[in-house]
Amino acid sequence: MKKINLKTTIIILSLIIISILFINNLRINKADNLSKAIVLKTNNSNVISSGVTNIGHQILTVKVLEGGHTDSKLKASNHFTGTAEIDNYYQEGDEILISIKEKQGKVTAVKAVDLYRQHWELLLFGLFVLILILYAGYTGLRALFSFVASVYIIWNILIPGLLAGQNPLLLSSFVLVLLTGIIIFSIAGFTRKGLAALAGTLSGLFITIVITIVFGNNMGLRGMTAPFSQTLLFSGHIDLNMKHIFYASIIIGASGAAMDIAMDIAASMEEIKLKKPDIEMKELIQSGFNVGRAVIGTMTTTLLLAYSGGYLTLLMLFVSKNTSLRRIINFKMVSAEILRTLTGSIGLVLVAPITALFAGWIYCSDFFIITWLKDLKSHLKFLRP
């Protein structure tokens, strides 16, 4: 069996620490006093159904499966809003989350919150981890570290900062710089490849920010097209800058694909340099351009499919109503997705040549950053990929 080295140990310990902190954070913020329960009986006499929607409320007899009321049988209410994407219609045997309100140690109200899906989500995540590590080995472990670290940073830095009213563009830019560094250096290590991918990704993303602001302002988009935007404002956050939050979501959404392209090009150029050490900078950059052209050909379509897939039912509605193309492309929600798709695609196209230029310069020259990296690697040998 291969001996576990120091860098593997560090990554495993980091994963454990981040996971513990994240889970602890979820427990601390358990403000609704949620408990798991199973539905024993339903009373649907006050429910009026119309197609897939319901109005009225269910009365549920539930058995609590955890917490201070374990094994207790309680009556819980499930109120319908008439919105199918939010409401749940419970049946006997369903495992659900309930909110228990108490006063002076006595239960005063029990409300059904949602189906209990956590166990299936954890199983799916476990399957993802298993496949990732079985296929990619140590690289998969590093990818898992960057994945967990990204979730932790978004949940504990980006989201609280946005809710606190911090400048969305500045905060998201800071988070993207931090995430890009963590993700790229976790995979590539402190190497020329990692440095080239980092420089290309950040340069392309910051150009994309400028394009997003210019075209977003001229298209009159205010950021209210995202799901639950209005609910968020009216839940005590009326002062949030939803337009800039929308802009930030565009940049964040495109950042993952931008990192993919930058890493593909940097890695390809590294292989070329290793196979042909005497290659000139101009020739190496041209090779990077050629790789970039092939990669962005499919990546821009990937963005289109990803975004349009989220609004498939809206597109079906347009077709069913024989809506004209002119009406469709000027519809606010569609315009927002056009802005998201095209600015993200422009960013991807720009990342490719920028990364090729940086990589060509970094691989074919010896400047102070590379010297610093060499010194760092000599002292921190466990960071060498």
Side-chain angles (χ1 to χ4, degrees):
M1 181 180 293
K2 186 176 179 181
K3 185 178 179 180
I4 298 178
N5 56 27
L6 181 57
K7 56 185 178 181
T8 304
T9 304
I10 289 176
I11 290 180
I12 292 175
L13 288 176
S14 299
L15 282 170
I16 293 173
I17 292 172
I18 292 174
S19 300
I20 291 174
L21 290 174
F22 185 69
I23 293 172
N24 186 59
N25 179 267
L26 290 178
R27 289 175 176 172
I28 290 173
N29 290 298
K30 202 175 179 182
D32 292 327
N33 193 23
L34 298 180
S35 298
K36 180 181 175 183
I38 187 170
V39 178
L40 300 178
K41 187 178 179 181
T42 63
N43 182 345
N44 302 319
S45 59
N46 296 313
V47 179
I48 301 175
S49 299
S50 177
V52 295
T53 60
N54 300 286
I55 57 174
H57 67 277
Q58 284 182 301
I59 301 298
L60 309 174
T61 302
V62 300
K63 180 180 179 181
V64 183
L65 301 178
E66 63 181 18
H69 297 279
T70 301
D71 293 332
S72 298
K73 293 182 180 180
L74 304 173
K75 295 288 185 179
S77 60
N78 175 37
H79 292 273
F80 296 106
T81 64
T83 307
E85 59 264 33
I86 297 176
D87 292 338
N88 290 289
Y89 187 89
Y90 300 114
Q91 298 177 349
E92 293 180 11
D94 285 344
E95 290 186 346
I96 66 174
L97 283 176
I98 59 173
S99 175
I100 302 175
K101 293 185 178 181
E102 298 178 274
K103 187 175 182 180
Q104 297 179 349
K106 295 183 178 180
V107 176
T108 57
V110 182
K111 179 182 178 183
V113 176
D114 219 316
L115 280 171
Y116 185 81
R117 302 180 176 94
Q118 183 175 318
H119 53 315
W120 288 108
E121 293 168 349
L122 291 175
L123 179 61
L124 185 62
F125 180 72
L127 182 62
F128 160 69
V129 172
L130 178 64
I131 294 174
L132 180 66
I133 294 178
L134 285 177
Y135 174 73
Y138 176 64
T139 301
L141 188 61
R142 289 186 291 180
L144 180 61
F145 166 75
S146 64
F147 179 89
V148 175
S150 298
V151 172
Y152 183 80
I153 290 172
I154 291 172
W155 186 261
N156 289 277
I157 297 179
L158 179 62
I159 303 302
L162 292 175
L163 288 173
Q166 297 183 22
N167 187 299
L169 291 175
L170 290 178
L171 178 62
S172 60
S173 297
F174 166 75
V175 169
L176 279 179
V177 171
L178 182 60
L179 288 178
T180 303
I182 291 174
I183 294 169
I184 288 179
F185 288 133
S186 294
I187 303 302
F190 291 96
T191 61
R192 294 175 186 245
K193 177 173 65 177
L195 189 61
L198 177 69
T201 300
L202 294 181
S203 298
L205 287 177
F206 285 128
I207 294 174
T208 306
I209 291 176
V210 176
I211 296 173
T212 300
I213 294 173
V214 171
F215 281 85
N217 289 340
N218 283 281
M219 291 170 66
L221 297 173
R222 306 303 177 195
M224 296 302 296
T225 57
F228 299 102
S229 297
Q230 186 170 318
T231 304
L232 176 63
L233 286 179
F234 293 154
S235 63
H237 302 282
I238 195 68
D239 295 329
L240 291 180
N241 189 335
M242 298 304 297
K243 181 173 73 171
H244 284 180
I245 291 176
F246 169 63
Y247 292 167
S249 71
I250 294 176
I251 310 304
I252 294 171
S255 62
M259 276 184 273
D260 285 342
I261 289 182
M263 184 60 72
D264 288 343
I265 294 173
S268 300
M269 294 176 69
E270 182 185 54
E271 287 297 313
I272 295 171
K273 181 66 175 176
L274 291 174
K275 295 295 187 298
K276 190 178 179 181
D278 58 342
I279 189 172
E280 294 184 357
M281 183 186 300
K282 182 178 179 181
E283 186 180 359
L284 182 59
I285 292 175
Q286 185 60 51
S287 297
F289 283 173
N290 294 336
V291 173
R293 292 188 186 100
V295 173
I296 63 174
T298 56
M299 190 61 72
T300 52
T301 308
T302 300
L303 275 184
L304 173 63
L305 294 175
Y307 293 142
S308 61
Y311 287 89
L312 187 60
T313 51
L314 176 62
L315 299 177
M316 293 170 64
L317 179 61
F318 283 140
V319 173
S320 68
K321 300 296 183 181
N322 294 318
T323 309
S324 67
L325 180 61
R326 189 176 189 181
R327 175 70 182 95
I328 292 173
I329 63 176
N330 284 283
F331 187 61
K332 182 164 65 172
M333 189 174 294
V334 174
S335 297
E337 292 311 304
I338 290 175
L339 176 67
R340 187 190 301 272
T341 302
L342 293 182
T343 53
S345 298
I346 290 172
L348 296 184
V349 174
L350 291 174
V351 164
I354 292 174
T355 303
L357 290 171
F358 273 113
W361 176 47
I362 291 172
Y363 287 136
C364 296
S365 62
D366 195 14
F367 59 109
F368 75 95
I369 295 181
I370 297 300
T371 303
W372 177 79
L373 285 176
K374 288 180 178 178
D375 293 339
L376 180 64
K377 287 172 65 179
S378 65
H379 289 90
L380 304 175
K381 294 181 179 180
F382 59 88
L383 292 175
R384 185 175 299 157

Coordinates of all heavy atoms in Angstrom, one line a residue, residues 8 13 45 109 131 149 159 168 172 197 208 214 219 241 251 264 280 312 320 324 360 369 372:
T8 N -0.8 14.8 1.4 CA -2.1 14.1 1.4 C -2.7 14.3 2.8 O -3.9 14.5 3.0 CB -2.0 12.6 1.1 OG1 -1.3 12.5 -0.2 CG2 -3.3 11.9 1.1
L13 N -6.8 16.5 6.5 CA -7.1 17.2 7.7 C -7.8 18.5 7.4 O -8.8 18.9 8.2 CB -5.8 17.5 8.5 CG -5.1 16.3 9.1 CD1 -3.8 16.8 9.7 CD2 -6.0 15.7 10.2
S45 N -59.3 17.1 4.7 CA -60.7 17.7 4.6 C -60.7 19.1 4.3 O -61.7 19.7 3.8 CB -61.4 17.4 5.9 OG -60.8 18.0 7.0
A109 N -47.2 25.1 18.9 CA -47.5 24.9 17.5 C -46.5 24.1 16.8 O -45.3 24.1 17.2 CB -47.5 26.3 16.9
I131 N -16.6 8.4 -6.8 CA -16.3 8.3 -8.2 C -15.1 9.3 -8.5 O -14.2 8.9 -9.3 CB -17.5 8.7 -9.1 CG1 -18.6 7.7 -9.0 CG2 -17.1 8.9 -10.6 CD1 -19.9 8.0 -9.7
A149 N -13.8 23.7 0.2 CA -13.4 25.0 0.6 C -14.2 26.1 -0.1 O -14.6 27.1 0.5 CB -11.9 25.2 0.2
I159 N -22.2 35.1 1.1 CA -23.6 35.3 1.4 C -23.8 36.2 2.6 O -24.6 37.2 2.5 CB -24.3 33.9 1.7 CG1 -24.1 33.0 0.5 CG2 -25.7 34.1 2.0 CD1 -24.6 33.6 -0.8
P168 N -21.6 44.5 -3.6 CA -21.6 43.2 -4.2 C -20.5 42.9 -5.2 O -19.9 41.8 -5.2 CB -23.0 43.1 -4.9 CG -23.8 44.1 -4.2 CD -22.9 45.2 -3.8
S172 N -17.7 40.2 -4.3 CA -17.7 39.0 -5.2 C -16.3 38.9 -5.9 O -15.8 37.8 -6.1 CB -18.8 39.0 -6.2 OG -18.7 40.2 -7.0
A197 N -2.6 29.9 -15.2 CA -4.0 29.7 -15.2 C -4.7 30.8 -14.3 O -5.8 31.3 -14.6 CB -4.3 28.3 -14.6
T208 N -14.8 40.8 -18.0 CA -16.2 40.5 -18.0 C -17.0 41.3 -17.1 O -18.2 41.7 -17.4 CB -16.4 39.0 -17.7 OG1 -15.5 38.2 -18.5 CG2 -17.8 38.5 -17.8
V214 N -21.5 47.6 -18.2 CA -21.9 48.5 -19.3 C -23.2 48.1 -19.9 O -24.1 48.9 -20.1 CB -20.7 48.6 -20.3 CG1 -21.2 49.4 -21.5 CG2 -19.5 49.3 -19.7
M219 N -29.2 48.0 -20.8 CA -30.4 47.1 -21.0 C -31.5 47.3 -20.0 O -32.6 46.7 -20.1 CB -30.0 45.7 -21.1 CG -29.1 45.3 -22.3 SD -28.4 43.7 -22.2 CE -29.8 42.6 -22.3
N241 N -28.6 46.1 -2.9 CA -28.5 46.5 -4.3 C -28.6 45.3 -5.2 O -27.7 44.6 -5.6 CB -27.1 47.1 -4.5 CG -26.9 47.8 -5.9 OD1 -27.6 47.4 -6.8 ND2 -26.0 48.8 -5.9
I251 N -20.9 37.0 -13.0 CA -19.5 36.7 -13.0 C -19.1 35.4 -12.2 O -18.3 34.6 -12.7 CB -18.7 37.9 -12.3 CG1 -19.2 39.3 -12.8 CG2 -17.2 37.8 -12.4 CD1 -19.0 39.4 -14.3
D264 N -6.9 24.2 -18.9 CA -6.7 23.4 -20.1 C -5.5 24.0 -20.9 O -4.7 23.2 -21.4 CB -8.0 23.4 -20.9 CG -9.0 22.5 -20.3 OD1 -8.7 21.7 -19.4 OD2 -10.2 22.7 -20.7
E280 N 10.4 28.4 -29.0 CA 10.4 29.9 -28.8 C 9.0 30.3 -28.2 O 8.0 29.7 -28.4 CB 10.7 30.6 -30.1 CG 12.1 30.3 -30.6 CD 12.4 31.1 -31.9 OE1 11.4 31.8 -32.3 OE2 13.5 31.0 -32.4
L312 N -36.3 26.1 -19.2 CA -36.9 25.3 -20.2 C -38.4 25.4 -20.3 O -39.0 25.6 -21.3 CB -36.5 23.8 -20.0 CG -36.9 22.8 -21.1 CD1 -36.3 23.2 -22.4 CD2 -36.5 21.4 -20.7
S320 N -45.7 27.6 -26.9 CA -47.1 27.2 -26.8 C -48.1 28.4 -27.1 O -49.2 28.2 -27.6 CB -47.5 26.6 -25.4 OG -47.4 27.6 -24.4
S324 N -43.9 35.9 -30.5 CA -42.9 36.4 -31.5 C -41.5 36.5 -30.9 O -41.3 36.7 -29.7 CB -43.3 37.7 -32.1 OG -43.2 38.7 -31.1
G360 N 2.8 31.6 -22.2 CA 4.0 31.7 -23.1 C 5.1 32.5 -22.4 O 6.3 32.1 -22.5
I369 N 9.0 36.3 -10.0 CA 8.0 35.5 -9.4 C 8.3 34.0 -9.5 O 8.1 33.2 -8.6 CB 6.6 35.8 -10.1 CG1 6.2 37.3 -9.7 CG2 5.5 34.8 -9.6 CD1 4.9 37.7 -10.3
W372 N 10.9 33.2 -7.1 CA 10.3 33.1 -5.8 C 9.6 31.8 -5.6 O 9.6 31.1 -4.6 CB 9.3 34.3 -5.6 CG 8.6 34.2 -4.3 CD1 9.1 34.6 -3.1 CD2 7.3 33.8 -4.1 NE1 8.1 34.4 -2.1 CE2 7.0 33.9 -2.7 CE3 6.3 33.3 -4.9 CZ2 5.8 33.6 -2.1 CZ3 5.0 32.9 -4.4 CH2 4.8 33.1 -3.0

